[in-house]
Amino acid sequence: MFLPKPKTLADTGLSKELLFRLVLRHLQEEASLALPALAQRLCLRGSIVEPLLQELKTLQLVEVRASGRMDEPVRYALTQKGQYEAQVLNERDGYIGPAPIPLAAYNKLVLAQSLGERSIRREQLEQALTDMVISPELINALGPALNSRRPLLIYGHAGTGKSFLCHRFNKVFDEHIYVPHAIAVQNTIIPLFDPLYHWRTEQQDDEQDARYISCKRPLVMVGGELKLNMLEVHFDRQSRQYSAPLQMKANNGVFLIDDLGRQSFSADELFNRWIVPMEERRDFLSLPNGLHFDIPFEQTLVFSTNLDPETIADEAFLRRLGYKLQLSAMPEHLYRDIWNRNLESYQLSANESDFRFMVDKLHKESGKPLIACYPRDILGIARDIMHFNGQAGMPLNQDILTRAWHMYCVH
């Protein structure tokens, strides 16, 4: 996808008033700026910014401050009137950054970057999950679920690897996308790019509109800390900035709700909030001033829980999810693969009798199933014990395994 730099004010899709505000804020923050520096901050051509500066000079909000040296560019600064105006603006909106893109351009971008009808193949999925031990049966179920673009519920006993698996979903779709720094809903700016979820790539082109950042497809993951207000546009009175809802940051990627049923609100409230977006693939939002707008709801929505799904959702909602995948205890040969991988990861050596002791003694006598978390966590504790006792580099033994088991498991 190529997004050319705007050549005129009209090409930006933004109002002159909004850009005036941004120019004043940048000048207030830096005291004075040369045209190239200001254009770079706004991610716009100098040929767009210069007429704005000239008009602000006419309005007596900006003045020229020449350095007196021929080799330095002219710098622009706020007049006393401009300082007052910038301060008034900052009390209403504290955003200082690149120029946004208009809402209509954002909606068009998200739809263009949607996974749509593009299907993943078995080899793609297997490649994305190479660092996991996963059964062919789960691959057979997971592939069609991801291709369906329908919401997905993954459930099962704690420690079966649900979160570990979900973290890898966005690796399946490895092409880059573009995320704008911010969007403008009329003259309200909502920052969108979030380095916590949007990872830059090296795809940026000098001829590309710099208001967009080339990123990997996002993975937004939240658990018990999720609040319903995180799904709405929020205004922070301290920073005087808006923040985009989580599902907006997850567009064109994966949105994982982990530990479903352990939030401070009921799962029904979450489901009711998303019934319309899941059906219509559009989400309806509003600003504190009452302005309503809608955005595409284009993401792979995944719910994960270790609770019984029927205790946290009614049958009608479970039907809407489409795909439900259960992760449970694994056969011994897959458990052995995880054991061997973690021995290598922790640089431990063990023999067959140690593995048999883990399975036949520790697991069977405690009644604990063979699930993915045990080899990783028990061997990790065993390594810590050995390092503490000066036994690093020595072979693992059953006594150390027993001590690690009793430190890890609640009896």
Side-chain angles (χ1 to χ4, degrees):
M1 178 182 293
F2 181 65
L3 301 163
K5 288 183 176 180
K7 295 181 179 179
T8 66
L9 176 62
D11 290 342
T12 68
L14 303 172
S15 70
K16 188 184 295 186
E17 179 188 356
L18 184 148
L19 290 175
F20 278 166
R21 293 177 182 177
L22 269 181
V23 169
L24 293 177
R25 290 177 197 144
H26 279 289
L27 291 178
Q28 184 187 45
E29 184 182 48
E30 289 298 320
S32 67
L33 285 169
L35 174 60
L38 180 57
Q40 185 177 27
R41 281 168 161 261
L42 292 170
C43 293
L44 296 174
R45 294 178 188 268
S47 58
I48 296 176
V49 178
E50 186 172 23
L52 297 173
L53 288 168
Q54 296 306 322
E55 193 162 342
L56 286 170
K57 279 177 60 183
T58 303
L59 295 171
Q60 299 182 342
L61 298 173
V62 167
E63 63 186 6
V64 172
R65 290 186 183 171
S67 65
R69 294 177 55 179
M70 295 295 293
D71 58 337
E72 288 191 3
V74 169
R75 300 178 71 86
Y76 294 87
L78 297 180
T79 62
Q80 187 173 355
K81 180 181 177 183
Q83 288 282 2
Y84 174 78
E85 184 68 22
Q87 186 58 41
V88 171
L89 292 172
N90 277 337
E91 290 174 1
R92 301 203 316 256
D93 184 353
Y95 176 81
I96 302 176
I101 66 168
L103 175 64
Y106 170 72
N107 288 351
K108 183 178 178 181
L109 174 74
V110 172
L111 293 175
Q113 297 180 147
S114 168
L115 293 169
E117 299 303 317
R118 284 173 282 178
S119 296
I120 61 170
R121 295 290 182 263
R122 180 181 299 276
E123 41 290 6
Q124 283 176 266
L125 184 55
E126 290 176 344
Q127 178 62 34
L129 303 178
T130 50
D131 59 343
M132 288 191 69
V133 174
I134 188 167
S135 69
E137 293 76 18
L138 184 55
I139 290 282
N140 289 337
L142 192 55
L146 292 176
N147 274 340
S148 75
R149 310 292 181 254
R150 297 182 67 185
L152 167 66
L153 173 66
I154 298 180
Y155 65 101
H157 193 284
T160 51
K162 299 181 298 298
S163 299
F164 196 74
L165 171 64
C166 295
H167 265 96
R168 280 140 189 81
F169 285 168
N170 66 330
K171 293 171 62 177
V172 178
F173 312 104
D174 57 359
E175 72 268 57
H176 74 278
I177 62 168
Y178 288 101
V179 176
H181 285 277
I183 68 165
V185 181
Q186 294 186 6
N187 282 339
T188 297
I189 300 175
I190 304 174
L192 182 59
F193 174 77
D194 187 336
L196 186 63
Y197 307 119
H198 301 126
W199 304 284
R200 292 175 182 263
T201 69
E202 300 302 319
Q203 302 288 334
Q204 209 71 29
D205 184 334
D206 288 342
E207 294 305 311
Q208 191 91 355
D209 189 341
R211 294 179 297 168
Y212 300 85
I213 304 170
S214 176
C215 301
K216 297 178 181 179
R217 289 191 180 272
L219 169 64
V220 175
M221 176 179 172
V222 288
E225 77 279 9
L226 177 66
K227 310 290 184 186
L228 283 176
N229 63 8
M230 295 179 182
L231 307 179
E232 309 298 337
V233 179
H234 175 69
F235 182 73
D236 186 296
R237 296 192 178 278
Q238 186 171 359
S239 66
R240 302 178 308 283
Q241 288 196 43
Y242 292 88
S243 58
L246 291 175
Q247 69 273 23
M248 194 173 183
K249 295 179 181 181
N251 261 337
N252 295 139
V254 177
F255 191 7
L256 168 62
I257 311 295
D258 205 7
D259 290 328
L260 182 66
R262 301 193 184 278
Q263 286 75 25
S264 60
F265 52 89
S266 72
D268 282 342
E269 292 178 82
L270 178 63
F271 297 155
N272 290 334
R273 169 64 180 83
W274 271 347
I275 283 177
V276 173
M278 287 192 302
E279 301 239 341
E280 298 187 9
R281 304 197 72 83
R282 299 200 70 76
D283 195 17
F284 298 88
L285 302 170
S286 62
L287 297 176
N289 63 10
L291 179 64
H292 297 272
F293 64 100
D294 62 278
I295 59 170
F297 192 79
E298 290 291 339
Q299 57 211 249
T300 300
L301 182 59
V302 184
F303 299 98
S304 170
T305 185
N306 54 25
L307 303 176
D308 180 353
E310 292 185 343
T311 66
I312 58 175
D314 60 31
E315 184 180 349
F317 189 82
L318 291 176
R319 263 200 325 272
R320 285 188 172 91
L321 293 182
Y323 282 83
K324 277 79 71 177
L325 303 183
Q326 183 177 17
L327 269 61
S328 55
M330 57 181 54
E332 187 178 299
H333 72 277
L334 292 182
Y335 188 86
R336 182 191 294 273
D337 287 346
I338 296 176
W339 166 272
N340 289 333
R341 287 194 185 203
N342 282 281
L343 283 176
E344 182 178 354
S345 174
Y346 291 128
Q347 298 181 324
L348 296 173
S349 61
N351 56 41
E352 176 64 16
S353 64
D354 296 320
F355 177 74
R356 295 261 47 102
F357 179 79
M358 180 85 164
V359 172
D360 298 334
K361 178 75 173 174
L362 298 176
H363 272 286
K364 284 189 177 177
E365 288 193 359
S366 65
K368 296 190 181 297
L370 300 181
I371 56 178
C373 67
Y374 283 104
R376 178 197 65 202
D377 296 339
I378 298 298
L379 290 176
I381 294 173
R383 179 201 57 182
D384 297 337
I385 292 172
M386 295 172 74
H387 278 252
F388 179 73
N389 291 318
Q391 297 172 299
M394 297 176 64
L396 190 63
N397 60 56
Q398 294 176 11
D399 176 63
I400 293 173
L401 275 176
T402 301
R403 290 166 61 192
W405 181 274
H406 288 296
M407 287 181 178
Y408 180 70
C409 296
V410 178
H411 302 280

